[in-house]
Amino acid sequence: MNINVRVAIKNDMLEIFNLIKELAVFEKEPNEVIIIVEDLEIHGFGNDPKFHCFVADVDGKVKAMALFYMRFSTWKGPILHLEDLVVKQDMRGHGLGTLLLDEVVKHGKKLGVKRISWEVLDWNEPAIEFYEKKGADVKRDWDVVHLNEQGIKNYLSKL
């Protein structure tokens, strides 16, 4: 098995999209993915990319990815947000997640970020254990807050 961790290219977006859909199914939200491959191509490349991505390919096929972008913390300064770390179901346990997380952390260090943040579902114990073994502090006393597209419309309609 030949594993190569590298920066994603535009031609990887279909495989990355398939990983995103696989993750949505795993997280019991298969109908929540509304983006299409072209959205990844448009927003991940060009003069002002909205995200960056590392992939792990095995024997030339993308089997895992880590998608991330910059944020700013009012307490800490620049931080890196890891949106998704996904390993195909049949490749879990082969070290791909560790290799990708290693690359994200090294990248964050190179950028001089003060923190790397991400979310994990409270029922995903294997992922929580994985992150804690890596030294991450899983904040169990914080709730994630979202205002979805309809919520934005509703909010604005009340102004």
Side-chain angles (χ1 to χ4, degrees):
M1 186 165 57
N2 183 24
I3 300 171
N4 181 37
V5 175
R6 60 178 173 77
V7 173
I9 59 173
K10 204 175 209 179
N11 286 344
D12 295 324
M13 292 304 109
L14 175 59
E15 291 173 287
I16 288 170
F17 178 72
N18 289 334
L19 285 166
I20 292 167
K21 291 192 316 185
E22 184 175 321
L23 177 64
V25 169
F26 174 78
E27 292 184 347
K28 303 174 182 144
E29 298 283 354
N31 299 321
E32 288 300 311
V33 178
I34 62 169
I35 65 164
I36 58 175
V37 174
E38 288 76 17
D39 292 320
L40 294 169
E41 293 170 345
I42 291 166
H43 297 292
F45 299 90
N47 293 334
D48 185 26
K50 304 299 181 219
F51 68 87
H52 301 281
C53 189
F54 292 122
V55 295
D57 68 45
V58 178
D59 300 325
K61 294 192 186 286
V62 173
K63 297 293 185 174
M65 65 95 165
L67 190 144
F68 55 92
Y69 50 87
M70 292 297 297
R71 288 177 35 193
F72 188 83
S73 165
T74 56
W75 289 7
K76 303 295 180 190
I79 64 172
L80 195 67
H81 182 81
L82 176 59
E83 180 67 18
D84 284 321
L85 176 63
V86 187
V87 178
K88 283 191 78 56
Q89 180 79 32
D90 65 342
M91 291 304 300
R92 292 185 187 150
H94 293 280
L96 301 181
T98 293
L99 290 171
L100 285 168
L101 188 58
D102 291 352
E103 205 62 33
V104 169
V105 173
K106 288 188 284 188
H107 185 71
K109 176 69 172 162
K110 185 174 82 174
L111 294 174
V113 300
K114 305 299 182 193
R115 182 174 72 215
I116 300 171
S117 298
W118 64 95
E119 286 121 24
V120 61
L121 289 168
D122 61 358
W123 54 261
N124 191 349
E125 285 300 325
I128 291 168
E129 288 176 26
F130 171 77
Y131 297 137
E132 288 178 334
K133 283 181 185 174
K134 299 295 180 189
D137 178 19
V138 177
K139 301 284 189 191
R140 296 177 191 262
D141 56 340
W142 283 73
D143 289 324
V144 176
V145 179
H146 288 171
L147 196 57
N148 66 18
E149 193 172 12
Q150 187 59 50
I152 293 167
K153 288 177 185 175
N154 293 344
Y155 184 102
L156 293 173
S157 73
K158 296 173 186 171
L159 295 182

